[in-house]
């Protein structure tokens, strides 16, 4: 990917966790790779926890360097990367300080990108302060998730930001959309004629999408306890994956063609019936347990979490899409913290043969299945039945594997690297449009409301397991089960 588009990348929250772990390392990778970032491009970090550029660079050396290049840092590239960095000390509570930012960037070249790696409560004040010094013109603004807490608060932010920036200037990040395997899902579906005719209700019995994590809430107990898995993972990452799995073929890959099709799926989600919620939604919370042989504490004892918290760390849902292609096909979504494995995958269960001329073994579960593993180890695995060697006609499940690392020698690009390059180059396709975000909130909100109103605690599960038994029971009602294979 070559670019000659120059840029000034202003990073609010320059000493925050996200800047340290993701944003600055991603910019460094793009810099190190050569040819991806214009030589004249500058990074202007904004923070108040450093006195001046010298102190900020020291912080970058201490805190960011350990997060770049797992295979060791290229020192020459690292020092030339540091030369790109400028620093402005701003107290975000003090709008007058923005004059300092205006002066700092006024002679810097190229398109201006303002990346708000801050809490959402600062989005509107920062945008207003940028506008007050004229910095909103011809600029791009990047908003991190969570963008609001519910439909109302997300609309309030979008309305206020929308008064200052036009929709084409706004880049709402969902980092799952930047993951290479998610891109590959588009390639699989729309680059091959083989799958598309089968990708519909006549041939598909059910679809599962799992994002399972071994990690707990880490240092974010306070944030997480006010958020929960439905807001943290379902409203955004899982519904985005679902919309890509289920969307109609877009006319082209331009940003609005793709986003229009995703939006149609989000708008076709069957609303959850509050009276029926127990049958289609399971919420859980982890108790003490063990992950890969190490004891881990209960969620309610994590720092920042209220001891009697009823926040969910696990969600499983049965979702239906009310359109011609998918009517009647259940989509099972699941995500959770402290589960048995770290895995993100999509499982497409095709229908069994209509008549079993080959005997009962031809109806075995586990065949006729496509598993698209997004992480770790991106693979696509097609399960089918084959005859077991020997006498008689006994069928066994076998699989065809596509392991991407065997085909492509170049490593995958990190999600943040791709997304930041897209912002700099003005490509919006992998960012969430306002109407998509609203549709997702609109669908999720009745679940949140019902859970709140019912006041029932989440179902317990031991850390290191696959979540509450009710999540398996929900699938059993449909004659299926979650795919849970060892990595
Ligand atoms: C973030 C969530 O959006 O995604 C985190 O806030 C979660 O809670 C993370 O851990 C998972 O992302 P990944 O890329 O590690 O699967």
């Amino acid at each position: 990917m070559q670019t000659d588009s120059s840029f000034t990348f202003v990073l609010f929250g320059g000493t925050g966790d996200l800047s340290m772990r993701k944003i600055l390392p991603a910019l460094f990778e793009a810099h190190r790779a050569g040819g991806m970032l214009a030589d004249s491009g500058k990074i202007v970090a904004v923070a108040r926890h450093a006195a001046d550029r010298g102190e900020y660079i020291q912080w970058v050396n201490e805190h960011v360097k350990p997060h770049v290049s797992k295979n060791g840092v290229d020192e020459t590239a690292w020092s030339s990367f540091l030369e790109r960095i400028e620093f402005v000390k701003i107290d975000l509570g003090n709008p007058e300080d923005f004059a300092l930012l205006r002066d700092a960037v006024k002679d810097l070249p190229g398109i201006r990108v303002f990346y708000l790696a801050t809490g959402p409560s600062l989005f509107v004040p920062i945008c207003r302060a940028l506008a007050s010094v004229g910095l909103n013109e011809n600029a791009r603004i990047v908003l991190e998730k969570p963008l609001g807490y519910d439909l109302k608060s997300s609309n309030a932010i979008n309305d206020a930001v929308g008064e200052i920036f036009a929709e084409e200037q706004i880049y709402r990040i969902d980092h799952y959309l930047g993951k290479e395997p998610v891109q590959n899902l588009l390639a699989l579906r729309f680059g091959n004629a083989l799958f598309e005719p089968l990708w519909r209700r006549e041939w598909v019995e059910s679809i599962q999408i799992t994002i399972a994590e071994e990690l707990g809430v880490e240092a974010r107990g306070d944030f997480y306890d006010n958020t929960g898995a439905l807001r943290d993972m379902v409203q955004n990452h899982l519904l985005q994956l679902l919309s890509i799995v289920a969307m109609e073929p877009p006319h082209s890959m331009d940003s609005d063609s793709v986003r229009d099709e995703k939006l149609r799926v989000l708008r076709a989600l069957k609303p959850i019936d509050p009276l029926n919620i127990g049958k289609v939604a399971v919420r859980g919370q982890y108790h003490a347990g063990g992950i890969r042989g190490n004891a881990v504490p209960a969620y309610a004892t994590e720092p920042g979490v209220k001891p009697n918290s009823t926040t969910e760390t696990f969600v499983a849902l049965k979702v239906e899409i009310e359109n011609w292609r998918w009517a009647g096909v259940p989509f099972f979504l699941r995500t959770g913290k402290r589960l048995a494995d770290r895995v993100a995958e999509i499982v497409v269960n095709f229908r069994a043969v209509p008549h079993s001329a080959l005997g009962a073994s031809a109806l075995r579960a586990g065949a006729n299945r496509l598993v698209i593993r997004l992480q770790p180890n991106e693979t696509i695995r097609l399960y089918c039945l084959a005859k077991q060697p020997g006498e008689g006609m006994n069928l066994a499940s076998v699989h065809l594997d596509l392991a991407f690392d065997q085909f492509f020698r170049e490593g995958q690009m990190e999600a943040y690297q791709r997304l930041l390059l897209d912002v700099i180059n003005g490509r919006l396709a992998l960012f969430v449009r306002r109407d998509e975000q609203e549709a997702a909130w609109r669908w999720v909100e009745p679940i949140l409301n019902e859970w709140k109103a019912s006041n029932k605690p989440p179902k317990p599960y031991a850390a290191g397991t696959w979540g509450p038994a009710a999540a398996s029971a929900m699938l059993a009602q449909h004659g299926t089960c979650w795919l849970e294979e060892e990595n």
Side-chain angles (χ1 to χ4, degrees), residues 145 175-176 179 211 213 220 224 232-233 237 337 342 375:
K145 76 176 262 286
H175 78 282
Y176 262 72
K179 288 185 188 258
I211 305 180
E213 296 186 86
R220 301 191 308 157
Y224 194 88
D232 189 43
M233 298 295 285
H237 306 324
K337 301 244 178 236
R342 173 180 182 254
Q375 63 188 30

Side-chain angles (χ1 to χ4, degrees), residues 28 35 106 270 296 452:
F28 171 69
K106 75 175 185 313
K270 183 175 176 184
V296 295
K452 194 168 168 202

Side-chain angles (χ1 to χ4, degrees), residues 361-362 364-367 383-389 393-399:
S361 61
R364 306 177 38 129
Y383 289 85
C384 12
L385 289 180
K387 181 188 171 302
Q388 266 178 0
M393 180 56 91
N394 291 319
L395 303 189
S397 174
V398 293
H399 46 80

